[in-house]
Amino acid sequence: MLDLFDLTGKVAIVTGASTGLGEGMAKALAQAGANVAGVARTSCESAGKKVEDAGTRFLEIRADLSSTEPVERILSETLKAFGRVDILVNNAGIIRRADALEFSEKDWDDVMNVNLKTLFFLSQRVANEFVRQGTGGKIINTASMLSYQGGIRTASYTSSKSGVIGLTRLLANEWAKYGINVNAIAPGYMVTNNTKALREDKARYEEILGRIPAGRWGTPEDLGGAAVFLASRASDYIHGFTIAVDGGWLAR
Ligand code: NAD
């Protein structure tokens, strides 16, 4: 049974691998045997070291995902280094906070571009490669609690992450016939740069903590199991589903 989770020889592209949840998922995939191409605007040194410590290869691809411009290069650099691709983890994402009455067009576009538009076009490019390879493949998108809830002061983030769940279902419907699994992970409240402002607001931090049944905020390591599962043969019949890794937040 454990062989179903084995990723030995597989090649994963992980966006936003320089820190936080992307770094955690890159490490977990490597520990299950996958080589990793880490995409980010900044250095992926720490993730690279963790992948190599796990005994697989790491390729750093510097790219700004605020436009679709680097999409072709991300795939070509991956293929040049590893000769194939099997897994895409669309993890890169940003958040902007402002009242909806004052929310700027820039804060709308910046977030939608990274969190949804580039996610779609990178998925499209990689899925075409899966079809060309004839191998099928795995796409894992990153949703959020704000894919389910409205949130507050996060108009573009809530819209983008609600879109991620819908797009995950649509792509699953269209690509299941090629042996491509498209699913998502919805992290709960995790300790990363993304939630720094939230955690620095002591009252808000305690309020959130008090609502998490598990009694603690999540960590990048908490996503490892779901990421490996959705990247592996163990999830071959799972299409278009979003797994919440949230310490019970949604059950509350
Ligand atoms: P983070 O800010 O620590 O990391 C974000 C990553 O995305 C970084 O590697 C960054 O370089 C990359 N990135 C952002 N904009 C980019 C761009 N234009 N081009 C290339 N790379 C870019 O945040 P995180 O918490 O690790 O977030 C990872 C994902 O998880 C995001 O999609 C986020 O929305 C989602 N998420 C996080 C939480 C949480 O509590 N931390 C909860 C739900 C969802």
Side-chain angles (χ1 to χ4, degrees), residues 15-23 25 39-44 62-67 70 90-95 110 113-115 119 142-146 157 160-161 185-196 198-199 217-218 220 223:
T15 70
S18 61
T19 180
L21 305 183
E23 180 178 330
M25 289 191 278
V39 183
R41 278 172 308 185
T42 52
S43 166
C44 289
R62 288 281 178 105
D64 183 349
L65 301 173
S66 59
S67 85
N90 283 308
N91 161 79
I94 56 172
I95 189 164
D110 287 355
N113 283 342
V114 179
N115 293 14
L119 176 149
T142 308
S144 164
M145 295 299 97
L146 299 189
Y157 188 82
S160 70
K161 294 297 184 179
I185 295 173
Y189 286 85
M190 320 296 277
V191 178
T192 67
N193 296 333
N194 177 288
T195 53
K196 190 164 177 286
L198 210 51
R199 284 179 288 113
W217 281 54
L223 291 194

Side-chain angles (χ1 to χ4, degrees), residues 10 84-86 129-137 178-180:
K10 301 286 184 191
R84 57 181 293 113
V85 61
D86 304 285
E129 182 60 20
F130 291 156
V131 173
R132 198 197 62 76
Q133 289 177 174
T135 53
Y178 302 112
I180 300 171

